Amino acid sequence: MWCGRVALRRLQRIAVAPLNSLSITGGLPGAVQREMSSLPRVYITRQIPPEGLKILSESGQVQFDLWDSDDVPVPRKELLQKVKGVDALVCVLTEKIDAELLDAAGPNLRVLSTMSVGFDHLSLEELKKRGIRVGYTPDVLTDSVAELTVALLLSTSRRLIEATHEAKTGGWGTWRTLWLCGYELANSTVGILGLGRIGVAIAERLKPFKVKKFIYTDVAPRPELASLIDAEYVSMDELASQSDFLTVCCALTPETKDICNKDLFSKMKNTSIFINTSRGGVVHQEDLYEALSSGQIAGAGLDVTVPEPLPISHPLFTLNNCVILPHIASASYSTRNAMSALAANNLLLGLKGQPMIKELKL
Ligand SMILES: O=C(O)C(=O)CO
């Protein structure tokens, strides 16, 4: 079912309505339906936060249809049907945008807007080949991701999840001198794997904890960013061996897949804490399990895994020194609404043939 500006009031209700309540076409006057049918067609693969839906519906520039759930992703078969003939697509990181999908959409598709900073779910080569422009949502989530990374780091290093479990389940005996001891940030070296906006934002937040030194590695030094946090460029080996806390901030690409593996973990101190809020694919999970269970490293905090969701039977869930979150780094109301709004604005600008606010260079 397709809707545009005239359906705004009803859409605003939909944006806050319970799941599976999308019912917006019935009752629109015939003239309105005719006017709308000439507008570019957009398919939205998820019930995105209200800000973005409002922008699209108020624009009067597009008609759109959406998968009216946030609890389950659109089934692939349905997605392949729904994209047929659309001019633009809004997706989230659970949808694989590959040759099969782009073929199913056909030649009208000229704009893709992903509500994510990550773009490893997109086949950039296929998009480029077809001349499809791609919008994404960096920057607006930097604060939220950095904040959650700090929370995860502290939860892992100070063993907060273990501690609340002990308190709730009767493990809290007398005050003990070394019980639930962890590692503190004061006087530590924090290593950043992949220095970008998010790495800088994490370091800025960690600095007041009296971190002694920030180090980073990347494909090449990034002096402008590094100077913001007074970070030293080091090799991957030095990053592994010197970091008391190693936080992964790089994008998942063919070059970074499994980059955190046995080789890296074997060079880390057995008192060090490993944190990943980027993508699960950068970590070789079997190697991480081995490093954690053998005491090669002290702990790990993961907001991202492969697959997602990680099956509850996964060995990593058996470890006390591994804190696993369900990919919530950007999950604050304001950030998710900002991502939704940016995705909508990118899409509208792309359809008008104008530069997007945040566009991937293909
Ligand atoms: O935007 C992304 O890429 C995420 O991982 C969710 O914030």
Side-chain angles (χ1 to χ4, degrees):
M1 53 201 78
W2 298 89
C3 56
R5 178 175 43 193
V6 284
L8 171 62
R9 223 169 301 129
R10 304 178 74 187
L11 257 175
Q12 283 169 332
R13 263 188 280 124
I14 287 155
V16 292
L19 298 182
N20 303 317
S21 62
L22 186 60
S23 169
I24 48 182
T25 45
L28 291 180
V32 170
Q33 288 192 16
R34 274 193 300 283
E35 180 202 319
M36 276 170 49
S37 67
S38 62
L39 295 172
R41 289 172 60 207
V42 179
Y43 186 67
I44 308 175
T45 67
R46 192 65 75 93
Q47 193 181 57
I48 58 171
E51 292 275 306
L53 288 179
K54 189 163 177 277
I55 288 166
L56 291 178
S57 51
E58 280 182 343
S59 74
Q61 275 184 51
V62 291
Q63 48 176 326
F64 62 84
D65 188 7
L66 81 165
W67 174 248
D68 67 333
S69 170
D70 194 24
D71 286 357
V72 276
V74 55
R76 183 76 178 177
K77 205 166 150 212
E78 165 109 3
L79 179 61
L80 293 176
Q81 278 296 324
K82 288 289 191 178
V83 296
K84 272 189 201 333
V86 296
D87 299 277
L89 191 59
V90 178
C91 72
V92 295
L93 52 83
T94 49
E95 275 75 61
K96 210 169 162 44
I97 308 296
D98 55 9
E100 180 192 37
L101 183 127
L102 298 174
D103 286 345
N108 286 353
L109 183 63
R110 55 188 196 279
V111 175
L112 170 72
S113 179
T114 181
M115 193 189 121
S116 63
V117 64
F119 44 84
D120 47 289
H121 55 301
L122 313 179
S123 172
L124 298 184
E125 212 177 280
E126 295 295 334
L127 286 155
K128 185 175 176 178
K129 215 159 69 185
R130 292 164 172 80
I132 297 169
R133 292 174 60 196
V134 180
Y136 72 136
T137 61
D139 298 340
V140 292
L141 48 58
T142 299
D143 287 334
S144 178
V145 172
E147 185 174 288
L148 187 284
T149 306
V150 172
L152 178 58
L153 184 149
L154 289 168
S155 304
T156 309
S157 61
R158 298 304 301 268
R159 303 173 63 180
L160 300 191
I161 310 302
E162 272 179 90
T164 56
H165 178 78
E166 291 295 323
K168 274 199 290 200
T169 57
W172 186 0
T174 184
W175 184 88
R176 282 174 262 175
T177 58
L178 285 176
W179 188 51
L180 287 173
C181 282
Y183 298 92
E184 64 186 54
L185 277 161
N187 221 23
S188 70
T189 296
V190 172
I192 301 165
L193 175 48
L195 186 66
R197 300 164 292 250
I198 293 175
V200 168
I202 293 169
E204 284 169 345
R205 282 159 180 76
L206 291 180
K207 202 176 163 63
F209 285 89
K210 299 189 177 172
V211 169
K212 184 177 68 190
K213 191 175 174 188
F214 290 103
I215 55 178
Y216 76 102
T217 199
D218 211 312
V219 281
R222 306 198 66 181
E224 270 177 36
L225 283 176
S227 68
L228 299 173
I229 51 168
D230 203 13
E232 183 190 331
Y233 183 71
V234 295
S235 68
M236 186 76 166
D237 281 0
E238 288 167 324
L239 189 86
S241 61
Q242 291 178 24
S243 296
D244 296 303
F245 298 86
L246 198 164
T247 180
V248 184
C249 300
C250 60
L252 174 61
T253 64
E255 292 73 36
T256 60
K257 186 170 170 358
D258 288 340
I259 196 171
C260 302
N261 54 26
K262 197 183 172 93
D263 188 45
L264 177 104
F265 299 130
S266 67
K267 291 174 183 129
M268 288 173 69
K269 306 177 197 184
N270 59 18
T271 52
S272 60
I273 302 288
F274 175 83
I275 302 294
N276 184 16
T277 51
S278 68
R279 283 291 182 267
V282 302
V283 176
H284 191 289
Q285 279 176 183
E286 287 72 33
D287 289 357
L288 176 62
Y289 174 82
E290 202 46 47
L292 287 168
S293 56
S294 66
Q296 173 61 49
I297 64 173
L302 312 173
D303 182 48
V304 283
T305 58
V306 177
E308 290 182 4
L310 192 67
I312 53 174
S313 59
H314 195 282
L316 282 172
F317 277 123
T318 64
L319 300 174
N320 278 341
N321 58 349
C322 188
V323 176
I324 300 175
L325 301 178
H327 201 150
I328 55 163
S330 65
S332 73
Y333 292 111
S334 55
T335 288
R336 288 288 168 82
N337 266 302
M339 291 167 72
S340 173
L342 180 51
N345 283 321
N346 280 340
L347 179 124
L348 293 175
L349 288 164
L351 279 174
K352 281 198 273 192
Q354 294 175 5
M356 296 180 188
I357 302 167
K358 295 291 172 186
E359 183 165 353
L360 276 176
K361 285 188 185 56
L362 298 182

